[in-house]
Amino acid sequence: MARRRGKQQSDEATEPAAPEVEGVRHQGPWDSSERTPGDDETYIDLGPLKVRVRVGIDVQLPTDGDGGEIGSVVMVADDAALELRAFAATRSGGLWDEVRDDLIIEVERLGGECEQVDGLFGPELLVKVPVDLPEGEKGFQPSRIVGIEGPRWLLRATFLGDAGLNPSDEGLLME
């Protein structure tokens, strides 16, 4: 999933324009029925996700539990990371509202702090969860959790590190 490139002045091939999509998704992410990268080698096909890779981003595929199944894709750049998880949803939408409520409850259960704010894609969460640091000190893990709903899917994007501590709608991971 990627953003559309602006018009170019040269004869270079450009990405096809995305169709009109409600809200801010006109710049992505897109459903395969809305836009596909085709054979563009800058995308990695991960099954439910096609992710655009760029110089400066390390792509990791962590496994969930003991089953060894890949549950997400993590993109790491400098002192920040972005975890992407795709979920099936109903055509009527609203899954992000349910997931967001569950996340708030879990953060409170862990003794953390959670603030709901309006973001580029609608309501998102700014989270601080307590953690034990390597030298036994107490600290917190900041994150920014964004939910993006498409036709029959939800993409949950969790920004970690500096991208969670200093949220921004700009930068390499946001692109």
Side-chain angles (χ1 to χ4, degrees):
M1 298 186 190
R3 300 180 104 144
R4 184 175 62 191
R5 292 182 196 157
K7 291 184 179 180
Q8 295 184 4
Q9 299 287 331
S10 68
D11 292 336
E12 294 176 20
T14 60
E15 295 179 11
E20 291 300 317
V21 178
E22 289 184 33
V24 295
R25 280 199 325 103
H26 67 279
Q27 293 185 11
W30 296 288
D31 185 79
S32 61
S33 67
E34 299 167 333
R35 178 179 182 279
T36 60
D39 293 332
D40 188 336
E41 294 179 7
T42 62
Y43 287 83
I44 298 175
D45 187 345
L46 301 171
L49 291 175
K50 288 181 175 60
V51 180
R52 186 175 188 187
V53 293
R54 295 178 159 226
V55 172
I57 293 181
D58 179 34
V59 177
Q60 302 172 359
L61 303 172
T63 57
D64 283 342
D66 297 328
E69 293 183 22
I70 295 171
S72 66
V73 59
V74 178
M75 304 174 84
V76 181
D78 296 324
D79 55 355
L82 170 61
E83 178 191 46
L84 299 173
R85 287 184 179 264
F87 300 91
T90 62
R91 185 177 302 253
S92 61
L95 181 59
W96 176 231
D97 293 335
E98 293 176 34
V99 170
R100 199 171 60 250
D101 289 344
D102 290 344
L103 289 169
I104 292 169
I105 291 168
E106 181 64 11
V107 168
E108 290 173 353
R109 185 188 72 76
L110 294 171
E113 300 174 17
C114 190
E115 178 184 2
Q116 183 171 296
V117 298
D118 288 326
L120 182 63
F121 295 98
E124 59 186 54
L125 299 176
L126 302 179
V127 174
K128 292 181 181 177
V129 177
V131 295
D132 292 325
L133 299 174
E135 296 183 16
E137 298 173 350
K138 299 291 183 189
F140 66 91
Q141 169 67 55
S143 62
R144 172 189 182 197
I145 307 174
V146 177
I148 306 161
E149 293 194 72
R152 303 189 75 136
W153 53 263
L154 169 69
L155 180 66
R156 188 177 76 194
T158 304
F159 293 87
L160 301 162
D162 189 57
L165 189 59
N166 300 302
S168 172
D169 290 334
E170 312 250 335
L172 191 57
L173 292 175
M174 192 61 158
E175 290 177 15

Coordinates of all heavy atoms in Angstrom, one line a residue, residues 65-130:
G65 N 2.9 -16.0 18.1 CA 2.9 -17.2 18.9 C 3.7 -18.4 18.5 O 4.7 -18.2 17.8
D66 N 3.3 -19.6 18.9 CA 4.1 -20.8 18.6 C 3.8 -21.4 17.2 O 4.6 -22.2 16.7 CB 3.8 -21.9 19.6 CG 4.2 -21.4 21.0 OD1 5.2 -20.7 21.2 OD2 3.5 -21.8 22.0
G67 N 2.8 -20.9 16.5 CA 2.4 -21.4 15.2 C 3.4 -21.0 14.1 O 3.4 -21.6 13.1
G68 N 4.1 -20.0 14.4 CA 5.1 -19.5 13.4 C 4.5 -18.8 12.2 O 5.2 -18.6 11.2
E69 N 3.2 -18.4 12.3 CA 2.6 -17.7 11.2 C 2.9 -16.2 11.3 O 3.0 -15.6 12.4 CB 1.1 -17.8 11.3 CG 0.6 -19.2 11.0 CD -0.9 -19.4 11.0 OE1 -1.6 -18.3 10.9 OE2 -1.4 -20.5 11.3
I70 N 3.1 -15.6 10.1 CA 3.4 -14.2 10.1 C 2.1 -13.4 10.4 O 1.1 -13.6 9.7 CB 4.0 -13.8 8.7 CG1 5.4 -14.5 8.5 CG2 4.1 -12.3 8.6 CD1 5.9 -14.3 7.1
G71 N 2.2 -12.6 11.4 CA 1.0 -11.8 11.8 C 1.0 -10.4 11.4 O -0.1 -9.7 11.4
S72 N 2.1 -9.9 11.1 CA 2.2 -8.4 10.7 C 3.5 -8.2 9.9 O 4.3 -9.1 9.8 CB 2.3 -7.6 12.0 OG 3.4 -7.8 12.8
V73 N 3.6 -7.0 9.5 CA 4.8 -6.5 8.8 C 5.3 -5.3 9.6 O 4.5 -4.5 10.0 CB 4.7 -6.2 7.3 CG1 3.6 -5.1 7.1 CG2 6.0 -5.8 6.7
V74 N 6.6 -5.3 10.0 CA 7.2 -4.2 10.7 C 8.2 -3.5 9.8 O 9.1 -4.1 9.3 CB 7.8 -4.6 12.0 CG1 8.4 -3.5 12.8 CG2 6.8 -5.3 12.9
M75 N 8.0 -2.2 9.7 CA 8.9 -1.4 8.9 C 9.7 -0.5 9.8 O 9.1 0.3 10.6 CB 8.1 -0.6 7.8 CG 7.3 -1.5 7.0 SD 6.2 -0.7 5.9 CE 7.3 -0.4 4.5
V76 N 11.0 -0.6 9.8 CA 11.9 0.1 10.7 C 12.7 1.1 10.0 O 13.4 0.8 8.9 CB 12.8 -0.9 11.5 CG1 13.7 -0.1 12.5 CG2 12.0 -2.0 12.2
A77 N 12.7 2.3 10.5 CA 13.5 3.4 9.9 C 14.1 4.2 11.0 O 13.4 4.8 11.8 CB 12.7 4.3 9.0
D78 N 15.4 4.3 11.1 CA 16.2 5.1 12.1 C 15.7 4.7 13.5 O 15.8 3.5 13.9 CB 16.0 6.6 11.9 CG 16.7 7.0 10.6 OD1 17.7 6.4 10.2 OD2 16.1 7.9 9.9
D79 N 15.1 5.6 14.2 CA 14.7 5.4 15.6 C 13.1 5.2 15.7 O 12.6 5.5 16.8 CB 15.2 6.5 16.5 CG 14.7 7.9 16.1 OD1 14.1 8.0 15.0 OD2 15.0 8.8 16.8
A80 N 12.5 4.7 14.7 CA 11.1 4.6 14.7 C 10.7 3.3 13.9 O 11.5 2.8 13.1 CB 10.4 5.8 14.0
A81 N 9.5 2.8 14.2 CA 9.0 1.6 13.5 C 7.5 1.8 13.2 O 6.8 2.5 13.9 CB 9.3 0.4 14.3
L82 N 7.0 1.0 12.3 CA 5.6 1.0 11.9 C 5.2 -0.5 11.8 O 5.8 -1.2 10.9 CB 5.3 1.8 10.6 CG 3.9 1.6 10.0 CD1 2.9 2.1 11.0 CD2 3.9 2.3 8.7
E83 N 4.2 -0.9 12.6 CA 3.7 -2.3 12.5 C 2.4 -2.2 11.7 O 1.5 -1.4 12.1 CB 3.5 -2.9 13.8 CG 2.9 -4.3 13.7 CD 2.4 -4.9 15.0 OE1 1.8 -4.1 15.8 OE2 2.7 -6.1 15.3
L84 N 2.2 -3.0 10.7 CA 1.0 -3.0 9.9 C 0.3 -4.4 10.1 O 1.0 -5.4 9.9 CB 1.2 -2.8 8.5 CG 1.8 -1.4 8.1 CD1 2.2 -1.4 6.6 CD2 0.9 -0.3 8.4
R85 N -1.0 -4.4 10.4 CA -1.8 -5.6 10.5 C -3.1 -5.4 9.8 O -3.7 -4.4 9.9 CB -2.1 -6.0 12.0 CG -1.0 -6.5 12.8 CD -1.4 -6.9 14.2 NE -0.3 -7.3 15.0 CZ 0.0 -8.6 15.1 NH1 -0.8 -9.5 14.5 NH2 1.0 -9.0 15.8
A86 N -3.4 -6.4 8.9 CA -4.6 -6.3 8.1 C -5.7 -7.3 8.7 O -5.3 -8.4 9.1 CB -4.4 -6.7 6.7
F87 N -6.9 -6.8 8.8 CA -8.0 -7.6 9.3 C -9.2 -7.6 8.3 O -9.5 -6.5 7.7 CB -8.5 -7.0 10.7 CG -7.5 -7.0 11.7 CD1 -6.7 -5.9 11.9 CD2 -7.3 -8.1 12.6 CE1 -5.7 -5.8 12.9 CE2 -6.3 -8.0 13.5 CZ -5.5 -6.9 13.7
A88 N -9.9 -8.7 8.3 CA -11.1 -8.7 7.5 C -12.2 -8.0 8.2 O -12.3 -8.0 9.5 CB -11.6 -10.2 7.2
A89 N -13.1 -7.3 7.5 CA -14.2 -6.5 8.2 C -15.5 -6.7 7.3 O -15.4 -7.1 6.2 CB -13.8 -5.1 8.3
T90 N -16.6 -6.2 7.9 CA -17.8 -6.3 7.2 C -17.9 -5.1 6.2 O -17.2 -4.1 6.4 CB -19.0 -6.2 8.1 OG1 -19.0 -4.9 8.8 CG2 -19.0 -7.3 9.1
R91 N -18.7 -5.2 5.2 CA -18.9 -4.2 4.2 C -19.4 -2.9 4.9 O -19.0 -1.8 4.5 CB -19.9 -4.6 3.2 CG -20.0 -3.7 2.0 CD -20.9 -4.2 1.0 NE -20.5 -5.5 0.5 CZ -19.9 -5.7 -0.7 NH1 -19.8 -4.7 -1.5 NH2 -19.5 -6.9 -1.1
S92 N -20.2 -3.0 5.9 CA -20.7 -1.8 6.6 C -19.7 -1.0 7.4 O -20.0 0.1 7.8 CB -21.9 -2.2 7.5 OG -21.5 -3.1 8.5
G93 N -18.6 -1.6 7.7 CA -17.5 -0.9 8.4 C -17.8 -0.8 9.9 O -18.6 -1.6 10.4
G94 N -17.1 0.0 10.6 CA -17.3 0.2 12.0 C -16.3 -0.7 12.9 O -16.4 -0.6 14.1
L95 N -15.5 -1.5 12.2 CA -14.6 -2.4 13.0 C -13.6 -1.6 13.8 O -13.3 -2.0 14.9 CB -13.9 -3.4 12.1 CG -13.0 -4.4 12.8 CD1 -13.7 -5.2 13.8 CD2 -12.3 -5.3 11.8
W96 N -13.1 -0.5 13.3 CA -12.1 0.3 14.0 C -12.7 0.8 15.3 O -12.0 0.9 16.3 CB -11.6 1.4 13.1 CG -10.6 2.4 13.8 CD1 -10.7 3.7 13.8 CD2 -9.5 2.0 14.5 NE1 -9.7 4.2 14.5 CE2 -8.9 3.2 15.0 CE3 -8.9 0.8 14.9 CZ2 -7.7 3.2 15.8 CZ3 -7.7 0.9 15.7 CH2 -7.2 2.1 16.1
D97 N -14.0 1.2 15.3 CA -14.6 1.6 16.5 C -14.5 0.5 17.6 O -14.2 0.8 18.8 CB -16.1 2.0 16.3 CG -16.3 3.2 15.4 OD1 -15.3 4.1 15.4 OD2 -17.3 3.4 14.8
E98 N -14.8 -0.7 17.2 CA -14.8 -1.8 18.2 C -13.3 -2.1 18.6 O -13.1 -2.3 19.8 CB -15.4 -3.1 17.6 CG -16.8 -3.0 17.3 CD -17.3 -4.3 16.5 OE1 -16.8 -5.3 16.8 OE2 -18.2 -4.1 15.7
V99 N -12.4 -2.2 17.7 CA -11.0 -2.4 18.0 C -10.4 -1.4 18.9 O -9.7 -1.6 19.8 CB -10.2 -2.6 16.7 CG1 -8.7 -2.7 17.0 CG2 -10.7 -3.9 15.9
R100 N -10.8 -0.1 18.6 CA -10.3 1.0 19.3 C -10.7 0.9 20.8 O -9.9 1.1 21.7 CB -10.7 2.3 18.7 CG -9.9 3.5 19.1 CD -10.3 4.8 18.3 NE -11.7 5.2 18.4 CZ -12.6 5.0 17.4 NH1 -12.2 4.6 16.2 NH2 -13.8 5.4 17.6
D101 N -12.0 0.6 21.0 CA -12.5 0.4 22.4 C -11.8 -0.7 23.1 O -11.4 -0.5 24.3 CB -14.0 0.2 22.3 CG -14.9 1.4 21.9 OD1 -14.3 2.5 21.9 OD2 -16.0 1.2 21.6
D102 N -11.6 -1.8 22.4 CA -10.8 -2.9 23.0 C -9.4 -2.5 23.4 O -8.9 -2.9 24.5 CB -10.8 -4.1 22.1 CG -12.2 -4.8 21.9 OD1 -13.1 -4.5 22.7 OD2 -12.3 -5.6 21.0
L103 N -8.8 -1.8 22.5 CA -7.4 -1.3 22.8 C -7.4 -0.4 24.0 O -6.5 -0.5 24.9 CB -6.8 -0.6 21.6 CG -6.5 -1.5 20.4 CD1 -6.2 -0.6 19.2 CD2 -5.3 -2.4 20.7
I104 N -8.3 0.5 24.1 CA -8.4 1.4 25.3 C -8.5 0.6 26.6 O -7.8 0.9 27.6 CB -9.6 2.4 25.1 CG1 -9.2 3.4 24.0 CG2 -9.8 3.2 26.5 CD1 -10.4 4.3 23.6
I105 N -9.4 -0.4 26.6 CA -9.6 -1.2 27.8 C -8.3 -2.0 28.1 O -7.9 -2.0 29.3 CB -10.8 -2.2 27.5 CG1 -12.1 -1.5 27.5 CG2 -10.8 -3.3 28.6 CD1 -13.3 -2.3 27.0
E106 N -7.6 -2.5 27.1 CA -6.4 -3.2 27.4 C -5.3 -2.3 27.9 O -4.5 -2.7 28.8 CB -5.9 -3.9 26.1 CG -4.6 -4.7 26.3 CD -4.7 -5.9 27.2 OE1 -5.9 -6.3 27.6 OE2 -3.7 -6.5 27.6
V107 N -5.1 -1.1 27.4 CA -4.1 -0.2 27.9 C -4.4 0.2 29.3 O -3.5 0.2 30.2 CB -4.1 1.1 27.0 CG1 -3.3 2.2 27.7 CG2 -3.5 0.8 25.6
E108 N -5.7 0.4 29.7 CA -6.1 0.7 31.1 C -5.8 -0.5 32.0 O -5.3 -0.3 33.1 CB -7.5 1.1 31.1 CG -7.8 2.5 30.5 CD -9.3 2.8 30.4 OE1 -10.1 2.0 30.8 OE2 -9.6 4.0 30.0
R109 N -6.0 -1.7 31.5 CA -5.7 -2.9 32.3 C -4.3 -3.0 32.6 O -3.9 -3.4 33.7 CB -6.2 -4.1 31.5 CG -6.1 -5.4 32.3 CD -6.4 -6.7 31.5 NE -5.3 -6.9 30.5 CZ -4.1 -7.5 30.8 NH1 -3.8 -7.8 32.0 NH2 -3.3 -7.7 29.8
L110 N -3.4 -2.6 31.7 CA -2.0 -2.7 31.9 C -1.4 -1.5 32.7 O -0.2 -1.4 32.9 CB -1.3 -2.7 30.5 CG -1.5 -3.9 29.6 CD1 -1.0 -3.7 28.2 CD2 -0.9 -5.2 30.3
G111 N -2.3 -0.6 33.1 CA -1.9 0.6 33.9 C -1.3 1.7 33.0 O -0.5 2.5 33.5
G112 N -1.6 1.7 31.7 CA -1.1 2.7 30.8 C -2.0 3.9 30.7 O -3.1 4.0 31.3
E113 N -1.6 4.8 29.8 CA -2.4 6.0 29.5 C -2.8 5.9 28.0 O -2.0 5.5 27.2 CB -1.6 7.2 29.7 CG -1.1 7.4 31.1 CD -0.2 8.6 31.3 OE1 -0.2 9.5 30.3 OE2 0.5 8.7 32.3
C114 N -4.0 6.4 27.7 CA -4.5 6.4 26.3 C -5.3 7.6 26.1 O -6.1 8.0 26.9 CB -5.3 5.1 26.1 SG -5.8 4.8 24.5
E115 N -4.9 8.3 25.0 CA -5.7 9.5 24.6 C -6.2 9.3 23.2 O -5.4 8.9 22.3 CB -4.7 10.7 24.6 CG -5.4 12.0 24.2 CD -4.4 13.2 24.2 OE1 -3.2 13.0 24.5 OE2 -4.9 14.3 23.8
Q116 N -7.5 9.5 23.0 CA -8.0 9.5 21.6 C -8.0 10.9 21.0 O -8.4 11.8 21.6 CB -9.5 9.0 21.7 CG -10.1 8.8 20.3 CD -11.4 8.1 20.3 OE1 -11.5 6.9 20.7 NE2 -12.4 8.8 20.0
V117 N -7.4 10.9 19.8 CA -7.3 12.2 19.1 C -7.8 12.0 17.7 O -7.9 10.9 17.2 CB -5.9 12.7 19.1 CG1 -5.3 13.0 20.5 CG2 -4.9 11.8 18.4
D118 N -8.1 13.2 17.0 CA -8.5 13.1 15.6 C -7.2 13.2 14.8 O -6.4 14.1 15.0 CB -9.4 14.3 15.3 CG -10.8 14.1 15.8 OD1 -11.3 13.0 15.9 OD2 -11.5 15.1 16.2
G119 N -7.1 12.3 13.9 CA -5.9 12.2 13.0 C -6.3 12.3 11.5 O -7.4 12.4 11.2
L120 N -5.3 12.1 10.7 CA -5.5 12.1 9.3 C -6.5 11.1 8.8 O -7.3 11.4 7.9 CB -4.1 11.8 8.6 CG -4.1 11.8 7.1 CD1 -4.4 13.2 6.6 CD2 -2.7 11.4 6.6
F121 N -6.6 10.0 9.4 CA -7.6 8.9 9.0 C -8.8 8.8 9.9 O -9.5 7.8 9.9 CB -6.9 7.6 8.9 CG -5.8 7.5 7.8 CD1 -4.5 7.7 8.1 CD2 -6.2 7.4 6.5 CE1 -3.5 7.7 7.1 CE2 -5.2 7.3 5.5 CZ -3.9 7.5 5.8
G122 N -9.0 9.8 10.8 CA -10.1 9.8 11.7 C -9.5 9.6 13.1 O -8.4 9.9 13.4
P123 N -10.4 9.0 14.0 CA -9.9 8.8 15.4 C -8.7 7.8 15.5 O -8.7 6.8 14.8 CB -11.1 8.1 16.1 CG -12.3 8.3 15.2 CD -11.7 8.5 13.8
E124 N -7.8 8.2 16.3 CA -6.6 7.4 16.5 C -6.2 7.5 18.0 O -6.8 8.3 18.8 CB -5.4 7.8 15.7 CG -5.0 9.2 15.8 CD -3.9 9.6 14.8 OE1 -4.1 9.4 13.6 OE2 -2.8 10.1 15.3
L125 N -5.3 6.6 18.5 CA -5.0 6.5 19.9 C -3.5 6.9 20.1 O -2.6 6.4 19.3 CB -5.2 5.1 20.4 CG -6.6 4.6 20.3 CD1 -6.7 3.2 20.8 CD2 -7.6 5.5 21.1
L126 N -3.2 7.7 21.1 CA -1.9 7.9 21.5 C -1.7 7.2 22.9 O -2.5 7.5 23.8 CB -1.6 9.4 21.7 CG -1.8 10.3 20.5 CD1 -1.5 11.8 20.8 CD2 -0.9 9.8 19.3
V127 N -0.8 6.2 22.9 CA -0.8 5.3 24.0 C 0.6 5.3 24.7 O 1.6 5.5 24.0 CB -1.0 3.8 23.4 CG1 -0.8 2.8 24.5 CG2 -2.4 3.7 22.8
K128 N 0.6 5.1 26.0 CA 1.8 4.9 26.8 C 1.6 3.8 27.7 O 0.7 3.8 28.5 CB 2.2 6.2 27.6 CG 2.6 7.4 26.8 CD 2.9 8.6 27.7 CE 3.3 9.8 26.8 NZ 3.6 10.9 27.7
V129 N 2.3 2.7 27.5 CA 2.2 1.5 28.3 C 3.5 1.3 29.1 O 4.6 1.4 28.6 CB 2.0 0.2 27.3 CG1 1.9 -1.0 28.1 CG2 0.8 0.4 26.5
P130 N 3.3 1.0 30.4 CA 4.5 0.9 31.3 C 5.3 -0.4 30.9 O 4.8 -1.4 30.5 CB 3.9 0.7 32.7 CG 2.5 0.5 32.5 CD 2.1 0.8 31.1

